[in-house]
Structure formats: structure tokens, C-alpha cells
Amino acid sequence: MDDIYFAIAALVDTGRISEAFHMMRGLFGIAGMEWPQEITQLEKMEELQEVFASEFIFDFYDVIEDKRLETEEEEIPV
């Protein structure tokens, strides 16, 4: 998951927002989730795409950290 996070972040940092959107769409597909219609509308508005992609990166990082903490808690014997 870290590699995917860093790949999307690198795409956004280098202004390759369209490619970042393709990776995000792929993540939704892998998770078995439908790509929200609202996000499809953003694909037509370049000025909002970067904002969305940046927020996605922050949220995705939080998900990774939450999962990491959850896994560490499961490994600690009580």
C-alpha cells in the first residue's frame, strides 16, 4: 500500500493528475467499489482535479496508518 501511496503522490507532485486519477480509479476497482459519479464529473474540471487528488493522498495515508496501527495491536499479545 505504501508503494501505491507514493506512486500516486509522485504523480500529483509532478503534475500528472490524469495518471493519478487512473490509479485512484484502479484502487476503487480492486476494492470492489464503484467509482463515484461525483468524481467522474471532476475529471472534466482540471482546476479541481489537483485539489481532489491532494485530499485523496492525505486520506489514503490516514487509511494506511490506521491499518498499520490495527495490525500492530493485533500482533501484541495481551
Side-chain angles (χ1 to χ4, degrees):
M1 293 305 282
D2 287 332
D3 291 339
I4 295 169
Y5 165 81
F6 287 119
I8 295 172
L11 289 171
V12 172
D13 288 345
T14 58
R16 297 170 61 190
I17 305 302
S18 178
E19 290 94 338
F21 263 75
H22 286 293
M23 285 193 75
M24 289 183 277
R25 184 186 290 259
L27 284 174
F28 272 76
I30 290 168
M33 298 171 62
E34 189 173 318
W35 185 245
Q37 188 64 30
E38 295 85 2
I39 299 172
T40 302
Q41 296 302 316
L42 286 178
E43 292 175 344
K44 300 172 187 172
M45 297 180 256
E46 289 183 26
E47 65 277 0
L48 296 177
Q49 289 177 2
E50 188 170 353
V51 172
F52 174 80
S54 295
E55 289 183 17
F56 179 90
I57 291 168
F58 287 120
D59 291 343
F60 190 42
Y61 183 81
D62 288 342
V63 168
I64 293 170
E65 285 301 304
D66 289 348
K67 186 64 177 171
R68 185 174 289 133
L69 289 172
E70 184 180 297
T71 303
E72 288 174 1
E73 289 174 359
E74 290 174 0
E75 293 175 355
I76 299 173
V78 180

